[in-house]
Amino acid sequence: MKSFFNKQHQKLIADPMGDQNPITIQVLGICSALAITTQLENALVMTLAVIFVMTSASSIISILRNNIPNRIRIIVQLLVVASLVALVDQILKAFLPDASEQLSVFIGLIITNCIIMGRLEAFAMGNKLWDSFLDALGNAFGYGWILVAVAFVRELFGSGKLMGYEVPGFNYLYELGYMNNNLMILPPMALIVVGLIIWMQRARNNDLIEEN
Amino acid sequence: MNKESNTYTFTFAVIMVLVIGTVLAFTSEVLQPRKKQNAADKKMIDILSAIGVDATRTQAKEKYAKYISSETIISNKGEIIDGSAFNIDVLFQYRDKTLSPNDFKYPFYTAEKDNQTYFIVPMAGTGLWGPVWGFVALEKDYNTVYGAVFDHKAETPGLGAEINTDIFELPFKGKKIKNYLGEFVSIEVKKGGAEEGNMHQVDGITGGTITSDGVSDMLFNTLKVYDNYFSAINIVNDTTAQLINTNNINMQ
């Protein structure tokens, strides 16, 4: 009997945070990483939503995996993800209306987040409940920390704020002639920030660099 | 049991859909009151922002009660109709294909701010990808625009979607909906930019022409109805004022 949280389980969580990161290494889920990272708050709400959808979807699919008819398995996965997303959307509309308005279509677009379907098809369809849950959690965190990191940089340098609050000390910088960089707010800058993270990650770990 | 048979596949699909449908319908039903409240708060915030009052969701109710003194509904012929103006969803009405525009109800809100009276008119129209809507506040002369807010469901970000930004909304302030003869002309969202000094035009959005035109049409169609009503009141007021003046002269 394997222990409840052994080395292999640790790997399931740790790998997607680092050297198997869904965004920077597998380059999945880029679309939402570009779209909603202008503000830290949006990135956090999005991360929470994705964590909820991914862990629930992976758990449900893992429980059902031996009963899902092979021919409609993708449809079943999609149905589970779509209804979880609809659930999140309803809850946000009821309890966090402002965030829901800001994220608008992107909550609905969690359905199309490649990471979720990818983990369901590649992992949850063939693994036990606990393993699938951890794998989903790891990947959702791996997605989330990149989102938060990008949003941190973009909000700080683009609007001079964090979580919507003015950063103390910035008013001195403004007096010295510092200006917020509007380019940070635009989508291309998200791509560049993600690119910088990819660069840092590969500079640190040479194994990640593809041989040519 | 053969898990690859058609019967199994169909049964699995049906059960799956039934379970998920029930769960979603249940959640939606349970959360309905909260969502309604949120939508009402949002509407109050929008109405208030047309007269330049900023409110958060928590302050919405209190500030709405403070600034909005009355709510009125008129028909398209300018007759006053009984009912709750706040509960009329002009967008829903606009999109209701079974309803003829002659049967629309036209609500407006009277606001008092800094001892001035304003009339806030809600409106709905068609953009490029979906509906657009807004609130326009008129001054006491029923002619000068005091403020305007617009929003949209699905206009193109960076192009048509800009109608809900200050850049688009602020120029409306001070524009007139009637010409110097007192005839209704509305305000046009002009492609290529408003003419210098023209009181009836604001700058259109480059790359957002269809949305801009949609806003123009919405302004024209809605304000026309209110102008009929307001002009009728104005004539009564003017005549009263003239009568008083003549009396004064006579007495002298």
Side-chain angles (χ1 to χ4, degrees):
Chain A
M1 167 101 189
K2 277 196 255 177
S3 73
F4 184 63
F5 196 82
N6 57 26
K7 268 238 157 62
Q8 202 197 334
H9 288 141
Q10 272 175 31
K11 227 171 117 60
L12 282 177
I13 293 266
D15 271 0
M17 305 276 281
D19 295 346
Q20 279 300 320
N21 190 284
I23 295 187
T24 59
I25 306 297
Q26 298 170 8
V27 198
L28 294 174
I30 279 282
C31 351
S32 51
L34 302 190
I36 52 102
T37 49
T38 48
Q39 285 171 340
L40 201 51
E41 190 187 356
N42 287 350
L44 284 173
V45 175
M46 187 69 171
T47 304
L48 289 179
V50 168
I51 290 175
F52 169 76
V53 171
M54 269 194 90
T55 49
S56 320
S58 271
S59 309
I60 293 171
I61 292 295
S62 176
I63 293 169
L64 294 174
R65 71 183 187 280
N66 293 325
N67 295 311
I68 297 174
N70 200 34
R71 277 179 293 173
I72 57 165
R73 68 176 196 286
I74 298 282
I75 300 175
V76 172
Q77 292 166 14
L78 201 57
L79 193 64
V80 170
V81 177
S83 37
L84 285 167
V85 169
L87 214 58
V88 170
D89 191 36
Q90 296 281 325
I91 291 169
L92 282 183
K93 274 206 181 102
F95 295 100
L96 290 171
D98 288 322
S100 155
E101 233 166 66
Q102 289 256 308
L103 292 167
S104 61
V105 293
F106 295 107
I107 288 295
L109 285 178
I110 295 178
I111 301 170
T112 59
N113 190 324
C114 334
I115 303 170
I116 300 177
M117 286 291 283
R119 290 331 288 172
L120 291 183
E121 176 68 3
F123 200 92
M125 279 301 285
N127 285 283
K128 286 199 222 101
L129 174 60
W130 180 234
D131 293 17
S132 301
F133 176 83
L134 290 178
D135 174 75
L137 199 63
N139 275 283
F141 273 123
Y143 168 82
W145 87 255
I146 300 283
L147 231 60
V148 170
V150 175
F152 179 85
V153 173
R154 288 182 77 189
E155 192 177 0
L156 185 64
F157 294 108
S159 327
K161 295 178 182 175
L162 283 176
M163 295 295 288
Y165 295 105
E166 306 278 343
V167 180
F170 258 60
N171 31 3
Y172 298 112
L173 286 177
Y174 291 137
E175 280 169 21
L176 290 173
Y178 170 82
M179 279 168 82
N180 288 319
N181 187 350
N182 272 335
L183 189 61
M184 278 288 175
I185 305 290
L186 302 172
M189 220 40 214
L191 202 61
I192 292 171
V193 176
V194 172
L196 289 176
I197 297 177
I198 295 179
W199 180 25
M200 283 193 278
Q201 211 171 10
R202 288 177 193 224
R204 197 176 50 89
N205 183 353
N206 285 327
D207 294 343
L208 294 174
I209 301 171
E210 293 89 352
E211 282 171 34
N212 255 331
Chain B
M1 191 170 25
N2 176 10
K3 286 187 179 162
E4 293 308 317
S5 74
N6 287 342
T7 330
Y8 180 81
T9 308
F10 269 111
T11 324
F12 187 90
V14 168
I15 294 175
M16 189 90 196
V17 168
L18 282 179
V19 171
I20 285 175
T22 319
V23 172
L24 287 184
F26 179 76
T27 338
S28 174
E29 213 40 47
V30 169
L31 296 176
Q32 198 59 35
R34 279 198 81 101
K35 283 189 286 182
K36 269 210 175 119
Q37 185 55 49
N38 288 337
D41 287 347
K42 173 77 183 145
K43 189 171 181 179
M44 290 180 191
I45 292 172
D46 285 345
I47 292 174
L48 288 172
S49 72
I51 51 164
V53 175
D54 286 328
T56 63
R57 277 182 190 275
T58 39
Q59 304 163 331
K61 236 192 191 122
E62 178 198 333
K63 286 204 173 171
Y64 186 83
K66 182 176 163 201
Y67 286 102
I68 305 298
S69 56
S70 71
E71 304 173 345
T72 320
I73 313 174
I74 54 171
S75 72
N76 81 320
K77 291 190 191 70
E79 296 142 347
I80 290 179
I81 309 174
D82 287 337
S84 159
F86 189 78
N87 289 337
I88 294 177
D89 184 344
V90 286
L91 181 61
F92 182 79
Q93 179 175 267
Y94 177 78
R95 311 246 287 166
D96 188 350
K97 292 277 176 282
T98 60
L99 215 58
S100 126
N102 292 335
D103 301 328
F104 283 0
K105 290 176 175 173
Y106 294 88
F108 71 89
Y109 310 93
T110 312
E112 308 285 342
K113 183 192 159 198
D114 305 333
N115 291 326
Q116 293 287 320
T117 308
Y118 302 103
F119 303 96
I120 303 160
V121 169
M123 49 186 67
T126 313
L128 173 59
W129 305 115
V132 291
W133 59 90
F135 294 91
V136 171
L138 294 175
E139 286 179 13
K140 213 166 33 188
D141 61 359
Y142 307 113
N143 183 12
T144 315
V145 175
Y146 179 68
V149 282
F150 299 99
D151 213 343
H152 62 93
K153 184 161 185 208
E155 297 311 294
T156 322
L159 303 176
E162 297 290 305
I163 59 165
N164 62 11
T165 59
D166 283 351
I167 290 178
F168 181 75
E169 291 167 350
L170 288 181
F172 276 87
K173 192 172 168 131
K175 297 285 168 185
K176 311 252 184 223
I177 64 168
K178 289 193 277 201
N179 65 14
Y180 63 96
L181 293 171
E183 292 161 348
F184 174 71
V185 283
S186 182
I187 295 166
E188 188 190 357
V189 183
K190 180 89 172 151
K191 182 179 178 174
E195 292 156 20
E196 186 90 30
N198 191 321
M199 294 312 285
H200 311 293
Q201 289 181 350
V202 291
D203 289 349
I205 296 166
T206 309
T209 304
I210 297 180
T211 313
S212 301
D213 289 351
V215 174
S216 280
D217 290 347
M218 166 172 88
L219 285 163
F220 184 87
N221 293 333
T222 320
L223 289 174
K224 190 177 58 184
V225 176
Y226 289 94
D227 181 58
N228 274 339
Y229 170 76
F230 288 141
S231 300
I233 308 181
N234 234 358
I235 287 168
V236 176
N237 286 347
D238 282 354
T239 347
T240 335
Q242 267 168 12
L243 280 176
I244 294 167
N245 278 341
T246 6
N247 283 343
N248 285 346
I249 295 164
N250 286 346
M251 281 195 286
Q252 284 164 359

